[in-house]
Amino acid sequence: MNKTLFGFGVLLIVLAVGMTGYSEQQSSAEIIYIGTFSGQGSEGLYVYEFDRSTEKMMEIQIVSDREGPNFQAIHPDENYLYSVSGQPFSEDTDYGTVSAYEIDEHSGKLTLINEQSVEGRGTAHVSVDPKGRFVYVSNYGEGNLSVFLINDDGSLTEAVDVVHHEGSSVNEQRQNRPHVHSVIPSADGRFIYVPDLGIDKIMIYEVNETTGILTPAETPYAESTPGSGPRHFTIHPNNEFAYSAEELSSTVAVYTIDPSSGALNEIQRVSMLPEGFDESSSAADIHISPDGRFLYASNRGHDSLVIFEIDSSDGELSLVGHESTRGGHPRNFMMDQHGEFVFVANRDNNNVVVFARDKETGKLNYTGEEASVPRAVCVTQFFLR
C-alpha cells in the first residue's frame, strides 16, 4: 500500500477516535435547573452547570420571565423544559402560569417559547407524559389538575382538560377541601396518579392517547389512611411497585400496581422520622435510585432525607438511615441519572446542597458544595449533548 495513503488513513482513524472521545466528554456535562419561590431576592429560574469531576456548581443563567417558577419538568426528548408559577397568567385572571422553554443542547440555556393559563390557583407541580404528548399541571389551591397538548415545536396549547376534585378529610385545618399536589404518569403513559392531600386519596385516571382527555380508571382511586395527606408519588423502575410520600403523617405508603387496570393495593406504611422524634415535621419529596434498590424521601422539620432499602421481591421498605440536608425545609431533591449525586433544595437556607451517593449502601456523603439560590424549591437535571 502507498505509505502516504496509509499514513492518511491512520490520521483519519485517530481524528475519528478523538472526535468520538470529545463528543462523549461533552455529553457528560450537566445542567441543573433550580426553581424558586418569589421573595428574598429571588430572580426566577436559575441555571447552573455542574462539573462532575470537581463536584462544583457554577451559575450560567437566570431566567426572569415569571416570579416564583416553583417546579420544572423536562420533555422526554430533552429539547424542552416546562415550568409553573403562581404568578397570574394575565391581568384578567388570578390563575397561575405554565411556561414552555426551548433548551439549547450545547449550553443548557433556556429560551421562552410560549405560556398558558394553568386554570387554577396555588400551582404546585408540573410533569410530562413519558411519550412527550401532554403536560400535566397540579393546582394545590384550586384542587384541580389541567392537561395541555404539546405541539411539534414544544409549545403548549390551551388546557384541553381540567379536572376538579371534590371532598375533604379529617384534618380540619389542612383537609377542608381538595388539594391536588402532583401528577405522576405510568411508564407507558396510559394512567396518571394524582395524590390529593385534601381528600386523602390518590386518584387514578386513564389518558386518551390522542386527545389527552382524562377518564376515571376502572379503580378510580386508592384511599390513604385518614389524615395522612398524600403529597408526592413515585413508581419503581420495574413498574410493579409505587410509593406515596404522605405529608401530614410523615409516612411512606407502599403499593403494588395492577398492570392492566393501574389499580393500587397498599401493602406497607413506614415512618419517615427517627424513632423518638416528636417535633413538628412534614414529608415532601420522594425518589428511587436508578437501579431500583433504594428509596429516598425528604423531611421538613427534621430536615433530612430518609433512606430505605427496597426488597426486590415484594417492594417493601427497610430503614437504612437519615442524612441531614444541611439546610431547612428540603422541599424538593433530585438524584442524577447515574445515581452518583443527590441535589437538595433547602428553601429556608436559600441553597442547593450536593451529596455524593454510595451505590452499594445507599448512604449519602456531604460534598461541601452548596449553590446559593434564594428560596430554592425544585431541582431538575439536563445532560448537554
Side-chain angles (χ1 to χ4, degrees), residues 63-129:
V63 180
S64 301
D65 296 308
R66 288 284 166 180
E67 295 179 3
N70 62 78
F71 214 94
Q72 287 74 49
I74 293 178
H75 191 282
D77 291 343
E78 299 191 332
N79 295 320
Y80 311 108
L81 176 142
Y82 301 94
S83 176
V84 290
S85 165
Q87 183 180 1
F89 172 66
S90 70
E91 295 180 355
D92 302 324
T93 179
D94 58 356
Y95 289 163
T97 304
V98 57
S99 305
Y101 291 92
E102 183 175 12
I103 301 173
D104 185 289
E105 64 179 4
H106 301 299
S107 69
K109 292 183 178 181
L110 303 175
T111 303
L112 182 65
I113 303 172
N114 81 323
E115 296 182 321
Q116 297 289 0
S117 167
V118 299
E119 303 300 326
R121 304 169 185 84
T123 306
H125 187 271
V126 61
S127 57
V128 184
D129 165 63

Side-chain angles (χ1 to χ4, degrees), residues 11-241:
L11 177 62
L12 286 177
I13 292 172
V14 171
L15 286 173
V17 171
M19 289 177 68
T20 301
Y22 178 76
S23 175
E24 290 176 352
Q25 183 179 5
Q26 286 295 95
S27 66
S28 67
E30 295 157 64
I31 298 297
I32 307 297
Y33 300 107
I34 304 171
T36 64
F37 281 165
S38 59
Q40 296 186 21
S42 171
E43 297 180 57
L45 175 56
Y46 290 72
V47 184
Y48 273 73
E49 184 175 294
F50 176 65
D51 187 320
R52 183 172 291 268
S53 61
T54 64
E55 301 179 352
K56 299 297 182 183
M57 296 178 68
M58 179 180 69
E59 182 186 302
I60 62 172
Q61 184 189 23
I62 300 176
V63 180
S64 301
D65 296 308
R66 288 284 166 180
E67 295 179 3
N70 62 78
F71 214 94
Q72 287 74 49
I74 293 178
H75 191 282
D77 291 343
E78 299 191 332
N79 295 320
Y80 311 108
L81 176 142
Y82 301 94
S83 176
V84 290
S85 165
Q87 183 180 1
F89 172 66
S90 70
E91 295 180 355
D92 302 324
T93 179
D94 58 356
Y95 289 163
T97 304
V98 57
S99 305
Y101 291 92
E102 183 175 12
I103 301 173
D104 185 289
E105 64 179 4
H106 301 299
S107 69
K109 292 183 178 181
L110 303 175
T111 303
L112 182 65
I113 303 172
N114 81 323
E115 296 182 321
Q116 297 289 0
S117 167
V118 299
E119 303 300 326
R121 304 169 185 84
T123 306
H125 187 271
V126 61
S127 57
V128 184
D129 165 63
K131 295 186 178 180
R133 302 164 298 185
F134 318 114
V135 161
Y136 305 105
V137 173
S138 305
N139 297 306
Y140 176 90
E142 195 75 16
N144 70 5
L145 63 144
S146 49
V147 185
F148 303 82
L149 295 180
I150 301 175
N151 296 316
D152 291 342
D153 64 354
S155 64
L156 298 177
T157 65
E158 294 181 350
V160 295
D161 198 9
V162 180
V163 178
H164 294 261
H165 290 176
E166 296 181 355
S168 60
S169 194
V170 297
N171 186 321
E172 294 182 2
Q173 276 193 313
R174 296 294 309 279
Q175 296 181 308
N176 61 338
R177 56 194 175 91
H179 293 302
V180 175
H181 225 307
S182 58
V183 175
I184 305 300
S186 61
D188 60 7
R190 286 181 58 206
F191 303 101
I192 58 170
Y193 296 90
V194 187
D196 191 314
L197 180 147
I199 62 176
D200 277 327
K201 291 178 180 177
I202 300 171
M203 307 300 291
I204 309 170
Y205 296 96
E206 194 161 356
V207 183
N208 183 294
E209 63 178 11
T210 303
T211 65
I213 300 299
L214 305 178
T215 54
E218 179 183 338
T219 302
Y221 57 84
E223 288 200 60
S224 302
T225 298
S228 60
R231 175 187 173 97
H232 278 203
F233 187 83
T234 188
I235 299 173
H236 194 278
N238 67 13
N239 300 310
E240 296 177 6
F241 313 121

Side-chain angles (χ1 to χ4, degrees), residues 301-378:
H302 186 252
D303 294 335
S304 66
L305 294 187
V306 61
I307 307 167
F308 295 103
E309 186 169 8
I310 301 173
D311 188 311
S312 60
S313 62
D314 59 16
E316 292 195 0
L317 303 176
S318 57
L319 180 66
V320 173
H322 295 81
E323 178 68 31
S324 168
T325 57
R326 270 68 173 186
H329 200 95
R331 190 171 188 267
N332 173 256
F333 67 98
M334 181 270 297
M335 186 178 302
D336 80 291
Q337 295 176 13
H338 302 302
E340 296 175 352
F341 293 95
V342 171
F343 302 80
V344 182
N346 292 307
R347 186 198 68 184
D348 291 355
N349 280 72
N350 304 311
N351 65 9
V352 172
V353 179
V354 184
F355 296 86
R357 177 176 170 271
D358 187 313
K359 293 183 180 181
E360 291 305 312
T361 66
K363 293 182 179 180
L364 304 177
N365 296 300
Y366 174 55
T367 65
E369 177 66 3
E370 300 182 9
S372 179
V373 179
R375 304 270 282 169
V377 293
C378 182

